[in-house]
Amino acid sequence: MPIRLVNVVVDAADGSALGLFWSELLGWPVAVDTPDDVDVRCPDVGELIFDLVFAPVTEAKVVNNLVHADLASNSAEHQRALGRRALDAGATPVDIGQGDVPWAVLQDPEGAEFCVLTPR
Amino acid sequence: MPIRLVNVVVDAADGSALGLFWSELLGWPVAVDTPDDVDVRCPDVGELIFDLVFAPVTEAKVVNNLVHADLASNSAEHQRALGRRALDAGATPVDIGQGDVPWAVLQDPEGAEFCVLTPR
C-alpha cells in the first residue's frame, strides 16, 4: 500500500502571516491556527488530510531553494490570473537565473521560491 | 476553485539515487528518470498528478530543515514497519533536539529530515 504524505512542514518566522498568504494563494482554508501550528488544508483529498504546515521558528533562516512548490494552471489565462493573485497576496517576482522560461518564478513573503506552471 | 499543488521539487546531488530512496520508502513509482528530472508519482490522486521531483543540482548544499515531509501511518505496527522500511532503504535516525516524541525523526540519504507520524 502506498504511504501517504500527510504534511509538508515549512519553518516560518511568522507562521500566521505565511499561512494566510498560502491560504489566499491556493484557495485552501486555514484549518488550524495556533501559536505553534498553522495548517493550510488541501480541500481536494476527500476524507484524507494533506496540509501545508507553517511551524514558527526563532532561528535565523538561511534562504535557499532546496525544496520548492510548483502550482498547476489549467489555461494560459489561468496561469496569468494565478500569477496576478500571487502578487496581490504578497509574492514578488524573482530572478534565480531561470532565463526565458514559460513558467513564473516568484518568492513568498519569507523568500521561498515557487513556480506557477504552464497549463497541464 | 482551489489551486492544485502539482510538484514538490527537491534539489538533489544525485537525483536518481534520492528518487529511488523515496520511491522505495513511499511505494510510489518512478514515473520519470532522466538526467535532469526524476519524478516519483503519488498513485492516489486519480487522473491528477502529484510528484516529488528530484532536480539535480551541482551547487554545494546548505542542509537545513526549512521544509520537511511528514509520513502518515495507520497503526502503531504500521508506524514501526514504516520506520524499519525507511532504515532499510537508507535513512538514518537523527537527533535535531526533538526530545522524547512519539514520532520518528529520520534523515534521507542527502540529509533532509522527515518524520514518521503516529497513527492517524
Side-chain angles (χ1 to χ4, degrees):
Chain A
M1 191 179 71
I3 301 303
R4 191 154 57 84
L5 184 66
V6 63
N7 295 327
V8 171
V9 185
V10 181
D11 286 0
D14 183 340
S16 285
L18 196 59
L20 189 61
F21 167 82
W22 280 97
S23 171
E24 288 183 1
L25 175 56
L26 295 171
W28 297 9
V30 176
V32 175
D33 188 353
T34 74
D36 295 326
D37 185 14
V38 178
D39 295 359
V40 177
R41 185 154 295 171
C42 180
D44 292 333
V45 288
E47 296 297 306
L48 303 176
I49 286 177
F50 175 72
D51 285 346
L52 296 179
V53 176
F54 298 91
V57 291
T58 53
E59 300 88 347
K61 182 185 296 181
V62 178
V63 173
N64 66 15
N65 62 345
L66 178 61
V67 177
H68 75 261
D70 282 345
L71 309 186
S73 67
N74 52 33
S75 70
E77 173 50 33
H78 185 227
Q79 185 188 15
R80 285 190 293 271
L82 183 50
R84 286 193 299 270
R85 182 160 137 185
L87 296 174
D88 288 345
T92 49
V94 62
D95 182 351
I96 56 171
Q98 68 268 24
D100 183 22
V101 293
W103 59 89
V105 184
L106 301 161
Q107 281 182 319
D108 77 12
E110 294 202 13
E113 294 88 1
F114 64 98
C115 299
V116 180
L117 301 185
T118 49
R120 59 201 61 221
Chain B
M1 192 179 71
I3 299 304
R4 191 155 56 85
L5 184 65
V6 64
N7 295 326
V8 171
V9 184
V10 180
D11 285 0
D14 183 339
S16 285
L18 197 59
L20 189 61
F21 166 83
W22 280 97
S23 172
E24 289 183 0
L25 175 56
L26 295 171
W28 297 9
V30 176
V32 174
D33 188 352
T34 74
D36 295 326
D37 184 13
V38 177
D39 296 359
V40 177
R41 186 153 295 171
C42 180
D44 291 333
V45 288
E47 296 297 305
L48 303 178
I49 286 178
F50 175 72
D51 285 347
L52 297 180
V53 175
F54 299 91
V57 291
T58 53
E59 300 88 348
K61 183 185 293 182
V62 178
V63 172
N64 65 15
N65 62 346
L66 178 63
V67 177
H68 75 260
D70 283 346
L71 308 186
S73 67
N74 52 35
S75 70
E77 172 51 31
H78 185 227
Q79 185 187 15
R80 285 190 292 272
L82 183 51
R84 285 193 299 270
R85 182 161 138 186
L87 296 173
D88 289 346
T92 49
V94 62
D95 182 351
I96 54 170
Q98 69 267 26
D100 182 23
V101 293
W103 59 90
V105 183
L106 301 160
Q107 280 181 320
D108 77 13
E110 294 203 13
E113 294 89 359
F114 64 98
C115 299
V116 179
L117 301 184
T118 49
R120 60 200 60 220

